[in-house]
């Protein structure tokens, strides 16, 4: 195909501003789906976790044919924790469609992805989305986008961006707010007009850098990248340059290109085509594929460093293997974590002291918990430790820690409690604005340590009204101690099944995180204590039976509903001496040391060391 008829664009935005819904409309209105075909919402969110959570986790490719042009579209994640996905794919496109909510305007992640796009010199088109939302102000949102571009030092050409107003949900689009409703052909025309065609000489030596990967049940792992120059064909010899500088001769079995949502084999692919290569024995994101007689090493794709780490270890619980776990050994855990790193270079995996202990570092809590949840569903069983912030030292040896820009919106009546909570976590307020609806927007610079577990706390303080967002800012000098969880925990004393009678007697000690009939073991955490000390309790004790009482009376005990912790809540709940037992069926909290006497000895040791 004539490369002047190709357009490559990425859709970028803050989480939940409507990128994937917009792609759905583009596919629908450009005739990608057959007449009468049943189309699911957010068709690009193909992963089960993405559908359940309503967020995009992995960047994905598709294309549409419009007026004789092939428009390749990359749908990117909106959450800051998956910024590594965005950084990789921006190098495969020539322009971006920046989607902004007409009600909220640009948010924290909008700034992050826009900065990356502008630095690469990509041409933006702004879509002010959700114009059918009550109380929205599309023109104000557009003004904020222009201000953001100015702050990010956009070029004159980038500042002269084109824009449309629309609603991805209802499928309407307008060139100006005052215009009558049209469809997204208005946006497609602007893409063809404003986004430049890909450059690259089709007669030069072939060159491509692997930007992401996909998986096919028939073809295995597929390398995804954009042809920068030359022509790629199947069953032709090429050179693959690896990260360590070594080079290997390869012969791809198939070259595929997206047609709508489905990759289909093609005879050849030229400059500007985003292709999938099948038949590579091994590859990593960032590898370069070039001519066999003249290997080329392109610079590695830069990805911002991780800020949070967790320890993954083999499950040593007394109940290991009883709840659906199929892959439980250290080798199986290592192999799976290495695969996760190959698929997402923003995840760093290191082996640490111990035969089966691995330190996994990522961009944030969500980044790591999505990996844990995926492994659970693949029947892996393991243990994870509490999240730890990654510190650095400057050239003078001074300790540095990551800090983040944190923004929270709450009704003004709850602002005082929220400010106090954030300041206790060493947050420094940088701005405070009250709008016409009596909602206060608070902006802080907070250490990443202080943000662990803050969102549920703010929701509790604001009766569920707090809307918060954060984005990594930089490394700054260490801010000092930040209080962790103040309360102690209730720890099981005996193995067995929890009994209603025992649990009812513990309700005034704190809140429970297990219900009756749960299998427990010594050292397992069954609830949070009202006070600041850990206590060992017997949750298996049943009511003493006599001939005057029947066991059925035990079943009549009315318990307060226990608190079911999600994976994210478990991760932010535990302290350094605690961990989470992750199995396909259940999550359990436990102490690192299960034996009560050994725990006492360990707690005395630091005090003896100080003496």
């Amino acid at each position: 195909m004539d490369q002047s008829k190709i357009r490559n664009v990425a859709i970028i935005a803050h989480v939940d501003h409507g990128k994937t819904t917009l792609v759905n409309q583009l596919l629908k209105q450009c005739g990608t789906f057959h007449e009468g075909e049943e189309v699911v919402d957010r068709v690009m969110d193909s992963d089960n976790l993405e559908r359940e959570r309503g967020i995009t986790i992995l960047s994905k490719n598709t294309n549409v044919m419009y007026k004789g042009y092939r428009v390749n579209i990359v749908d990117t994640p909106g959450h800051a924790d998956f910024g590594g996905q965005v950084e990789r794919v921006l190098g495969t496109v020539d322009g971006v469609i920046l989607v902004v909510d007409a009600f909220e305007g640009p948010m924290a992640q909008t700034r992050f992805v826009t900065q990356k796009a502008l630095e690469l010199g990509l041409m933006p088109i702004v879509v002010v989305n959700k114009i059918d939302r009550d109380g929205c102000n599309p023109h104000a949102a557009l003004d904020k986008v222009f201000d953001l571009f100015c702050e990010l030092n956009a070029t004159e050409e980038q500042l002269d961006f084109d824009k449309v107003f629309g609603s991805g949900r209802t499928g309407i689009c307008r060139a100006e707010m005052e215009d009558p409703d049209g469809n997204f052909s208005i946006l497609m025309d602007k893409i063809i007009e404003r986004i430049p065609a890909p450059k690259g000489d089709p007669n030069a030596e072939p060159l491509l850098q692997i930007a992401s990967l996909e998986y096919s049940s028939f073809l295995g792992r597929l390398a995804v990248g954009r042809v920068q120059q030359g022509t790629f064909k199947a069953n032709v010899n090429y050179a693959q340059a690896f990260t360590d500088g070594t080079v290997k001769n390869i012969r791809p079995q198939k070259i595929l290109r997206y047609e709508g949502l489905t990759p289909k084999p093609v005879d050849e692919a030229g400059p500007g085509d985003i292709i999938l290569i099948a038949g590579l024995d091994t590859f990593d994101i960032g590898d370069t594929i070039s001519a066999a007689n003249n290997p080329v090493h392109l610079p590695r794709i830069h990805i911002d460093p991780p800020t949070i780490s967790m320890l993954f270890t083999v499950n040593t619980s007394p109940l290991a293997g009883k709840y659906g776990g199929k892959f439980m050994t250290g080798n199986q855990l290592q192999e799976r974590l290495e695969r996760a790193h190959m698929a997402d270079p923003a995840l760093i995996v290191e082996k640490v002291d111990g035969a089966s202990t691995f330190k996994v570092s990522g961009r944030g809590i969500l980044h790591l918990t999505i990996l844990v949840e995926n492994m659970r569903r693949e029947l892996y069983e393991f243990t994870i430790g509490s999240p730890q912030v990654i510190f650095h030292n400057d050239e003078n040896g001074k300790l540095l820690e990551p800090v983040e820009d944190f923004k929270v919106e709450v009704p003004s009546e709850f602002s005082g409690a929220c400010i106090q909570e954030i300041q206790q976590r060493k947050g420094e307020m940088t701005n405070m604005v009250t709008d016409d609806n009596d909602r206060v927007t608070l902006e802080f610079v907070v250490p990443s340590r202080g943000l662990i577990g803050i969102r549920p706390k703010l929701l509790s303080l604001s009766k569920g009204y707090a809307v918060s967002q954060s984005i990594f800012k930089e490394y700054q000098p260490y801010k000092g101690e930040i209080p962790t969880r103040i309360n102690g925990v209730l720890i099981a004393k005996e193995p067995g099944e929890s009994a209603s009678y025992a649990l009812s007697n513990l309700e005034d000690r704190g809140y429970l995180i297990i219900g009756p009939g749960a299998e427990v073991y010594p050292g397992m955490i069954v609830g949070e204590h009202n006070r600041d000390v850990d206590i060992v309790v017997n949750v298996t004790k049943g009511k003493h039976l006599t001939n005057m009482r029947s066991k059925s009376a035990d079943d009549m005990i009315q318990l307060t509903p226990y608190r079911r912790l999600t994976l994210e809540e478990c991760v932010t709940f535990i302290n350094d001496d605690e961990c989470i037992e992750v199995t396909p069926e259940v999550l359990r909290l436990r102490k690192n040391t299960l034996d009560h006497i050994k725990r006492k000895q360990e707690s005395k040791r630091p005090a003896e060391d100080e003496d």
Side-chain angles (χ1 to χ4, degrees):
M1 187 175 188
D2 179 3
Q3 69 189 73
S4 66
K5 296 279 189 179
I6 297 174
R7 298 291 184 272
N8 294 318
V9 294
I11 299 196
I12 61 175
H14 185 82
V15 65
D16 205 30
H17 277 199
K19 299 178 303 304
T20 307
T21 307
L22 178 65
V23 175
N24 245 36
Q25 283 296 344
L26 294 177
L27 291 168
K28 197 174 179 179
Q29 295 187 12
C30 291
T32 301
F33 305 121
H34 304 302
E35 190 174 342
E37 182 179 350
E38 186 178 345
V39 182
V40 297
D41 287 337
R42 296 181 291 108
V43 69
M44 295 294 283
D45 283 348
S46 52
D47 185 73
N48 288 336
L49 264 180
E50 294 179 318
R51 290 198 168 283
E52 288 170 22
R53 294 172 181 244
I55 60 173
T56 302
I57 296 169
L58 303 169
S59 60
K60 299 180 191 69
N61 299 70
T62 185
N63 81 1
V64 296
M65 295 302 295
Y66 180 77
K67 294 183 178 178
Y69 286 81
R70 181 191 297 125
V71 181
N72 295 314
I73 301 172
V74 184
D75 183 22
T76 64
H79 201 286
D81 283 21
F82 307 108
Q85 297 274 342
V86 183
E87 290 165 301
R88 295 204 313 265
V89 299
L90 286 180
T92 66
V93 297
D94 302 297
V96 292
I97 299 172
L98 174 62
V99 182
V100 179
D101 190 308
F103 184 84
E104 295 179 337
M107 304 282 270
Q109 180 69 359
T110 316
R111 183 187 188 91
F112 171 78
V113 292
T114 305
Q115 183 174 7
K116 298 288 181 187
L118 295 179
E119 285 172 354
L120 290 169
L122 300 177
M123 182 56 60
I125 295 175
V126 176
V127 176
V128 182
N129 196 26
K130 304 187 183 182
I131 60 171
D132 54 340
R133 186 173 171 184
D134 290 339
C136 69
N137 191 338
H139 288 296
L142 194 62
D143 291 342
K144 289 178 182 175
V145 172
F146 185 82
D147 294 341
L148 175 64
F149 279 32
C150 292
E151 284 179 42
L152 298 175
N153 299 318
T155 63
E156 291 293 328
E157 191 180 14
Q158 288 169 331
L159 284 171
D160 187 28
F161 58 84
D162 220 331
K163 88 284 180 189
V164 298
F165 301 88
S167 167
R169 187 171 59 88
T170 58
I172 61 169
C173 184
R174 306 171 187 168
E176 297 290 345
M177 268 304 289
E178 300 74 27
D179 294 351
D181 290 345
N183 61 25
F184 276 98
S185 61
I186 297 169
L187 174 60
M188 296 303 295
D189 288 335
K190 291 186 183 292
I191 290 173
I192 290 167
E193 178 189 338
R194 297 299 301 265
I195 304 297
K199 299 180 177 63
D201 182 0
N203 299 314
E205 291 186 334
L207 185 64
L208 173 147
Q209 187 167 36
I210 299 173
S212 62
L213 63 86
E214 296 204 13
Y215 185 80
S216 161
S217 53
F218 298 104
L219 299 171
R221 293 173 75 233
L222 303 171
V224 183
R226 168 181 165 165
V227 181
Q228 299 188 12
Q229 64 180 41
T231 304
F232 279 86
K233 299 178 183 178
N235 295 310
V236 172
N237 289 331
Y238 298 100
Q240 179 181 354
F242 293 93
T243 355
D244 56 5
T246 58
V247 176
K248 175 185 176 183
N249 282 331
I250 57 168
R251 190 180 179 89
Q253 295 171 358
K254 286 188 178 181
I255 302 293
L256 302 99
R257 187 172 59 212
Y258 271 97
E259 290 185 16
L261 296 168
T262 313
K264 295 190 176 174
V266 291
D267 295 330
E268 61 179 48
D273 281 329
I274 296 175
I275 61 173
L276 301 89
I277 301 175
L280 303 186
D281 292 336
T282 179
F283 65 86
D284 203 352
I285 288 167
D287 290 354
T288 306
I289 298 178
S290 54
N293 57 356
N294 185 21
V296 175
H297 290 264
L298 289 175
R300 305 301 299 176
I301 299 170
H302 171 72
I303 293 176
D304 287 343
T307 57
I308 297 279
S309 69
M310 288 197 306
L311 289 181
F312 284 55
T313 58
V314 167
N315 186 12
T316 56
S317 150
L319 302 180
K322 291 184 67 175
Y323 286 84
K326 183 178 178 184
F327 306 106
M328 302 172 57
T329 68
N331 287 340
Q332 289 168 336
L333 185 62
Q334 181 176 8
E335 185 267 337
R336 177 62 182 85
L337 292 174
E338 286 174 350
R339 271 197 288 129
H341 168 68
M342 286 195 294
D344 184 0
L347 278 171
I348 308 298
V349 179
E350 306 165 73
K351 194 161 186 177
V352 295
D353 295 338
S356 305
T357 304
F358 306 92
K359 179 182 175 184
V360 181
S361 307
R363 289 285 187 85
I365 298 290
L366 184 63
H367 194 196
L368 295 173
T369 53
I370 289 291
L371 169 65
V372 172
E373 186 61 42
N374 277 323
M375 290 173 66
R376 273 186 79 189
R377 295 177 183 215
E378 295 165 19
L379 304 183
Y380 282 83
E381 188 172 311
F382 52 97
T383 300
I384 55 174
S386 61
Q388 303 292 326
V389 165
I390 299 172
F391 295 98
H392 289 317
N393 292 93
D394 64 9
E395 60 274 7
N396 301 318
K398 193 173 184 180
L399 190 63
L400 304 177
E401 67 172 325
V403 298
E404 302 186 30
D405 285 324
F406 184 69
K407 183 188 286 187
V408 60
E409 293 178 30
V410 290
S412 58
E413 61 193 281
F414 304 118
S415 60
C418 292
I419 291 171
Q420 184 178 358
E421 177 64 28
I422 299 169
Q423 287 180 337
Q424 281 180 352
R425 296 166 179 257
K426 305 295 183 184
E428 299 172 10
M429 187 185 290
T430 57
N431 197 12
M432 180 176 177
V433 180
T434 305
D435 65 13
D436 299 336
N437 299 319
D438 206 27
R439 283 183 69 85
V440 180
T441 301
L442 306 167
E443 295 181 22
F444 291 86
V445 174
V446 191
S448 297
R449 290 180 297 138
L451 294 181
I452 295 175
I454 197 171
R455 285 174 175 82
K457 183 70 175 175
L458 294 180
L459 284 171
S460 173
L461 291 173
S462 65
K463 298 186 178 177
Y465 286 106
V467 178
S468 58
Q469 49 181 306
S470 63
I471 191 82
F472 172 74
K473 180 179 175 66
E474 62 187 357
Y475 272 84
Q476 290 186 2
Y478 181 67
K479 306 289 184 183
E481 287 296 320
I482 294 176
T484 54
R485 188 189 73 223
I486 298 170
N487 292 7
V489 288
L490 308 176
I491 306 168
K493 179 181 181 182
E494 303 286 344
E497 284 192 2
S498 57
S500 300
Y501 177 73
L503 295 178
S504 67
N505 292 330
L506 293 173
E507 286 189 338
D508 59 346
R509 296 287 189 97
Y511 70 77
L512 299 168
I513 60 172
I514 65 163
E519 199 166 1
V520 299
Y521 53 82
M524 179 174 153
I525 296 169
V526 298
E528 183 175 17
H529 193 198
N530 287 333
R531 300 171 63 186
D532 60 356
V533 292
D534 297 343
I535 60 168
V536 178
V537 296
N538 187 352
V539 294
T540 61
K541 182 182 178 184
K543 184 183 288 186
H544 182 64
L545 301 181
T546 70
N547 61 349
M548 300 295 292
R549 296 183 177 89
S550 66
K551 189 177 186 303
S552 61
D554 200 25
D555 300 329
M556 301 298 290
I557 294 171
Q558 295 294 314
L559 290 171
T560 305
Y562 66 95
R563 183 175 166 190
R564 297 172 184 268
L565 297 180
T566 64
L567 177 58
E568 284 82 5
E569 287 171 335
C570 288
V571 167
T572 55
F573 177 85
I574 58 175
N575 280 337
D576 292 350
D577 65 334
E578 296 159 0
C579 60
I580 304 167
E581 180 189 345
V582 179
T583 74
E585 295 179 16
V586 293
L587 298 170
R588 296 188 189 89
L589 305 186
R590 49 163 283 192
K591 289 289 185 179
N592 290 337
T593 304
L594 296 179
D595 186 83
H596 176 55
I597 295 171
K598 285 184 180 176
R599 280 201 307 275
K600 272 191 164 182
Q601 292 170 344
E602 288 171 359
S603 64
K604 289 177 182 176
R605 226 170 270 154
E608 291 169 0
D609 293 344
E610 287 173 14
D611 294 340

